Each structure stands twice: as structure tokens, then as C-alpha cells.
Amino acid sequence: MVGLALGTAQVGAVVTDNDIINDAETVTDVVSNGLGPRGQRYSPLKDVNVKNVKSLAPIWSFSFGGEKQRGQESQPLVKDGVMYVTASYSRLYAVDVKTGEELWQYDARLPDGIMPCCDVINRGAALYDNLVIFGTLDAKLVALDAKTGKPVWRKTVGDYQAGYSLTAAPLVVKGKVITGVSGGEFGIVGKVEARDAKTGELIWSRPTVEGHMGYLNGKENGITGGEAGKTWPGDMWKTGGASTWLGGTYDPDVDLLFFGTGNPAPWNSHLRPGDNLYSASRLAIDPDTGKIVWHFQTTPHDGWDFDGVNELISFDYKDKGKTVKAAATADRNGFFYVLNRTNGEFIRGLPFVKQLNWATGLDDKGRPLYAPNFRPGNPAEAKEGSQGKSVFAIPSFLGGKNWMPMAYSQDTGYFYVPSNEWGMDIWNEAVSYKKGAAYLGAGFTIKPIYEDHIGSLKAIDPVSGEIKWEYKNPSPLWGGVLTTAGNLVFIGNPEGYLLALNAKTGEVVYKFNTGSGIVSSPVTWEQDGEQYVSVVSGWGGAIPLWGGEVAKRIKDFNQGGSVWTFKLPKS
């Protein structure tokens, strides 16, 4: 379960609330997912820049070892010379950043029967005090001693036999560790929960499906949405999905958590007429009480599994001399949204995929204008067989953008959005809920739109709504983005390359092949006066499992499991 080795790094340095809040400004560590609680993934470091990045060289590669390879979607954390990085099958490692030497390893003892929908991945950990905290595939939250890797506390977040699991990196805010849950394909009920980060004791719980009771300090704290049945028919809300599987961000300016919610269950929308709150939404949540302050629903009555989990990233801009406290998100449904983060009001939106067809646009409140004849047909109306009418919808359910986090540059003012150009044949089928069984009521086949590319990294100006440049990638992009003051954008691709692009023009100025596909998020920090860059390599994730005809394009990509770390030569 735990292996321990001696190393040169000082393992176990304490992380405070101030360290986390200031993570975006401090360059000598990375103590939160997203390089700061806002999740901008921007670093002010510029020792590595557009002029010298061509000399960036690997200094070590650390293997996760064993046969447990599969998809590696983790973002590393770094504190006082130690890297903390998670791996597939709920593993966590501490590594000396100077040498690549393993300091300790923790392997969760997973039971038989876990039900992750989209590979056995993990997206990262959280640091707080002397603890490293991460979620496991059997829906447990585990806190380890950062010095030894030994468990300090372990809490069950959900019933894995009902489909619950944890894959997202936790978020720490004001001494609380905040988590969501995965499992929307199994008819679970989504929720966001806060625990005391030092003890794991539950402080509050907020369900994300209308009709379910929230709790604060063990007492009832109001029903989500006020009452059941307002936007759900019958008892459908009891297994309504809306999982919070990607985790969240936090903005200290407005003191709000921002969590996205997943698809309503089942996928067959004809079984649940109504908006199905609070599925496919961004929720602003009070971090002290768990109360929902505002919501914005990107796909009411979702019939395409577009979800609404993608990260909401805070940023400010000037409008007629006044500062606008905004936030942006690139949704699976193919629209890019800018909201007022104080109240959730819609500011502007634009399609960021090229042939989006399920909606004709957005109204002045940001609600989609549904295109006729692009919702999958009702199987109850089928003249023959058990399937409803199939439609070809763009984008596919894997999204114009899926989980892979975008980045915001404080220098260019652009968001760098890893997107994909694909569509799907989708049809509905009859389905009924059974605990622990897939609860879809739909079938699908994903297909590429263009011959020369599927992946598309786009630079979007959130104020003008313009797409400033695009980098096209032959295979789908499935990893996150990092941008720096060195006028650089870093991203990995399934072909195995860590790429660096000019942040202003999109020109590729560096690439290095890591030997396996990259579906993770790069990080950078400064150690002893030198800038380091690290990325996890290991092909996998949802595409090989759900990718339809697209999967044929990537069938020969090799799996892996390693961390690569780079810096400039001292000469």
C-alpha cells in the first residue's frame, strides 16, 4: 500500500489557506489544481519563453510502473522540492523534483465491482497542512501524511456499488476540502460536499438535483430548488444524475465556489420532460453553508449528454472604464459563455465548434434556441423496433470541449480552449433504473467531421467573441492547457507530443515526444532559480472506450504511465 524511500527533498512542508489563495502569484510551488483556485492555469514565469523554448530538454522521467497503465489525466502538485502526482487505479506518488527519485507510493485497495464510466483515471490531488488528499475509484476521499504517504483519514463519499466514484482533484477553501462525485451514467444523485480538511468530518452537503435535502453541520439546510417535481416529472428526480464529476473552482473576490453539473439521467430526454434542474448547469455555492447562490443552465432538458461540468474560470475586463467581474466556460454543447460571476447573468456567448447544429444560437439570456429535428426521436413513437429516430448531432456527446481544462492568459486576454470537431449518430431507447446498471436509454456512434483533424486548440477573445487563432491536431485533444508570461501555451496530444505554441499567433515553437499519448495538464514552477515544466504521459481516457469511428484513428497509440520533467540547460 505504501512504499517509502529516502531522498534529498524536504517532504511534508505545511500548506496554508494563504498558500492556496496566492498559488497563481507564487512561482516556487504548485499547491492547487489549476495553478490557483480560480483555475486560470497561468504562470507569471518567463525564463522559458518563445525565444528559447526550443532548447527545453527533459531532465528525468518517472514511471508509474506495473501493469496499471491506462489513461493518466493527473496534474502534478509541487511543494518544497517534492512532486505529488496521482495515477490510474487510484495511486499517488511523492517524487523528488530534482532527481525524479520516488520518495513514497500509495496504492488504494480497490474492491471488485468499481464502475468508472470513462477509464480508471485520476485527475490529481489537493495539498493542505501536512496532508495530501485525493479521491479514489470506490468513492472514498483519502488524506495521506505528506511526509510518509501513510493514511491519516479516509471517508466514504458515496456507494460505489450504486455507481458513485471520485476522479476529480479536490479543492481546498478556508480549511474545507470540497469534492463532487462521478456516476451520472448510473442514475446517482450529484452533490457537492465540504469536509474539514484536517479531519475529514462532513460540514455540509448540497445535492445538485432539485428536490433533495441539503445538510449543514448535521442539520437540514433546505431542499435543493425548494421542492421536488418543479422541473422533473414524477419521481425521476430521485435518480436524476447531475453529477459533479469534474470538481470546481473558487473565486475569493466574490467568495463563491463554481461547480458544474453533468447530464440528467437517463439520456433519453423523452422520459423526463422539463428543464431538469440543476443538471447541465454551473452552480455558484456559498463555501461556508453549501447554499446555491445562483445557477446558469447551459443545456436545459439535455438530450445529447452535453453535461455542464466544464470549469468556470474567473477573469476581469474593462467595459467603458468599469471593471466587469466575469467568468467564462467552454461547454460540451459547443458554446462558449461569458457570465457575470457575481450573479450568474449572461453577458455573451458564441459557438466555438464549426458545424454546431443542435441549436441555432442563444437568446438574450443565454438559453439555447433548439434547432428542429435535431433531438433524438422518442422510442415510444417508433413504428418499428424499440429505437427512436436517429439524428446526426454536432458536436458529439464527448463535446466541443470535454474535461480537459482551458487556460486564461493575463497577458493576451485570451482563453486557450482544447476542443474537438466531431459529431454523432444518436438515438433513444427504452430504459428503466436499476441500481448499479448503466442508465442511458440511448445509443450512439461518434464520427469525425474533417479528414485532416479532429483536435483544435483555439485562442478565444472573451470580450470581442473572436477566435484569434486555431491549431489543428489530427487526433482528438484530451489534455489540459498551461499558459505563461513567456508568451507560451503548453498542451500535450495523443500522438505523445508536449507542444509549446506562441500564445499570440498559435505557431508551434517546440515539441517533444514522451512515448505515449498525453491526456493530462502541464505545470510549471521555479526551483533554485530555474524554471521547470512537467507533464504526465499515458494514453487512455474516454476516447478509446466511447470513441466510435474516431477510436479507429487512435487504435495504434501506445499506453504508458510516466511523468516527464523539463528545464533549460544551464549553459
Side-chain angles (χ1 to χ4, degrees):
M1 202 165 182
V2 177
L4 188 63
L6 296 176
T8 59
Q10 298 299 310
V11 188
V14 168
V15 174
T16 67
D17 289 299
N18 283 336
D19 291 336
I20 295 168
I21 291 296
N22 296 317
D23 196 23
E25 288 76 40
T26 55
V27 297
T28 56
D29 52 34
V30 180
V31 297
S32 62
N33 188 266
L35 281 72
R38 292 181 178 88
Q40 290 186 348
R41 299 183 181 272
Y42 168 83
S43 171
L45 286 171
K46 53 185 176 183
D47 289 348
V48 178
N49 55 60
V50 73
K51 294 181 180 179
N52 63 18
V53 68
K54 62 181 179 293
S55 299
L56 194 68
I59 57 169
W60 55 261
S61 176
F62 172 80
S63 173
F64 296 140
E67 297 178 357
K68 296 180 177 180
Q69 303 216 38
R70 303 286 289 268
Q72 310 293 348
E73 296 185 1
S74 177
Q75 180 219 287
L77 301 173
V78 177
K79 178 64 175 175
D80 289 344
V82 180
M83 176 182 292
Y84 302 94
V85 59
T86 63
S88 56
Y89 290 99
S90 305
R91 294 173 291 164
L92 198 154
Y93 299 81
V95 182
D96 187 318
V97 300
K98 289 286 216 158
T99 65
E101 178 185 2
E102 180 181 307
L103 302 174
W104 54 256
Q105 173 183 346
Y106 174 84
D107 286 20
R109 292 174 177 169
L110 298 173
D112 294 333
I114 57 172
M115 292 180 283
C117 82
C118 309
D119 206 1
V120 288
I121 58 91
N122 187 283
R123 298 190 174 99
L127 299 178
Y128 190 71
D129 197 52
N130 64 336
L131 301 175
V132 189
I133 307 168
F134 82 122
T136 63
L137 289 168
D138 58 345
K140 288 183 171 58
L141 193 62
V142 181
L144 308 175
D145 184 300
K147 186 175 182 179
T148 66
K150 293 181 179 179
V152 175
W153 56 258
R154 184 187 292 110
K155 301 293 180 181
T156 298
V157 177
D159 179 2
Y160 75 88
Q161 293 179 317
Y164 286 90
S165 62
L166 291 179
T167 55
L171 173 68
V172 176
V173 174
K174 295 193 279 188
K176 306 177 189 71
V177 57
I178 319 289
T179 58
V181 290
S182 302
E185 271 63 59
F186 298 96
I188 59 96
V189 173
K191 58 183 176 178
V192 180
E193 292 186 330
R195 286 175 166 77
D196 185 308
K198 293 185 179 181
T199 67
E201 294 304 312
L202 185 66
I203 297 172
W204 56 256
S205 179
R206 173 53 54 192
T208 54
V209 177
E210 176 188 274
H212 294 268
M213 180 63 71
Y215 292 89
L216 173 64
N217 296 321
K219 298 179 180 179
E220 293 184 352
N221 191 33
I223 294 173
T224 299
E227 62 181 282
K230 289 194 294 185
T231 63
W232 293 82
D235 289 338
M236 296 295 288
W237 59 277
K238 292 182 178 180
T239 51
S243 64
T244 45
W245 58 265
L246 194 51
T249 58
Y250 170 71
D251 182 71
D253 287 348
V254 295
D255 193 24
L256 290 173
L257 302 166
F258 300 125
F259 270 73
T261 63
N263 59 282
W267 289 19
N268 181 348
S269 63
H270 300 282
L271 296 174
R272 44 172 175 77
D275 282 357
N276 312 136
L277 291 174
Y278 289 93
S279 69
S281 299
R282 305 308 187 280
L283 304 181
I285 299 174
D286 184 322
D288 298 318
T289 67
K291 287 276 191 178
I292 296 174
V293 176
W294 58 256
H295 80 279
F296 181 85
Q297 192 173 37
T298 47
T299 312
H301 196 215
D302 182 4
W304 303 267
D305 187 40
F306 284 148
D307 277 33
V309 297
N310 288 356
E311 69 283 0
L312 185 66
I313 298 177
S314 300
F315 73 106
D316 295 340
Y317 69 92
K318 295 288 187 181
D319 182 25
K320 298 177 182 178
K322 295 183 178 180
T323 298
V324 178
K325 290 186 179 297
T329 188
D331 200 80
R332 288 249 294 269
N333 69 16
F335 285 101
F336 183 92
Y337 299 83
V338 179
L339 309 178
N340 183 318
R341 70 178 184 266
T342 67
N343 55 25
E345 289 183 359
F346 175 71
I347 296 175
R348 67 183 60 88
L350 66 142
F352 65 93
V353 295
K354 294 171 187 170
Q355 296 189 38
L356 186 151
N357 66 3
W358 66 275
T360 59
L362 304 172
D363 69 15
D364 60 0
K365 300 293 186 182
R367 190 179 178 93
L369 303 170
Y370 296 106
N373 304 318
F374 280 94
R375 182 179 293 273
N378 188 348
E381 299 174 357
K383 295 181 179 179
E384 296 182 8
S386 58
Q387 294 182 2
K389 180 183 176 182
S390 178
V391 299
F392 186 72
I394 302 173
S396 79
F397 76 91
L398 288 180
K401 175 188 168 302
N402 201 278
W403 82 273
M404 52 278 193
M406 62 185 183
Y408 173 75
S409 170
Q410 297 175 16
D411 302 314
T412 64
Y414 301 161
F415 279 91
Y416 300 96
V417 181
S419 68
N420 290 301
E421 304 283 353
W422 46 19
M424 62 178 172
D425 291 318
I426 181 170
W427 58 91
N428 285 160
E429 303 166 345
V431 68
S432 58
Y433 175 77
K434 181 181 179 181
K435 179 182 175 180
Y439 189 39
L440 302 185
F444 48 82
T445 301
I446 298 179
K447 298 177 179 178
I449 304 295
Y450 302 104
E451 289 295 325
D452 64 333
H453 75 286
I454 298 173
S456 169
L457 177 63
K458 298 180 174 79
I460 297 178
D461 184 330
V463 179
S464 69
E466 296 177 280
I467 296 176
K468 294 294 188 177
W469 56 255
E470 176 186 14
Y471 164 76
K472 297 177 181 178
N473 197 74
S475 64
L477 293 177
W478 207 252
V481 184
L482 166 72
T483 185
T484 74
N487 191 31
L488 292 172
V489 175
F490 289 94
I491 189 172
N493 66 15
E495 288 85 349
Y497 286 98
L498 174 65
L499 304 170
L501 298 88
N502 184 309
K504 295 177 181 176
T505 67
E507 175 191 2
V508 176
V509 291
Y510 173 83
K511 66 178 184 177
F512 177 88
N513 198 292
T514 62
S516 182
I518 297 174
V519 291
S520 63
S521 301
V523 295
T524 189
W525 74 97
E526 185 180 87
Q527 186 82 26
D528 298 331
E530 296 182 283
Q531 184 178 351
Y532 288 68
V533 177
S534 280
V535 70
V536 174
S537 171
W539 172 239
I543 297 172
L545 302 175
W546 298 74
E549 292 187 14
V550 171
K552 297 176 184 177
R553 291 197 183 186
I554 46 85
K555 63 181 177 63
D556 294 326
F557 290 177
N558 292 320
Q559 289 187 335
S562 58
V563 188
W564 287 82
T565 296
F566 305 78
K567 70 180 183 69
L568 294 172
K570 285 189 175 182
S571 59

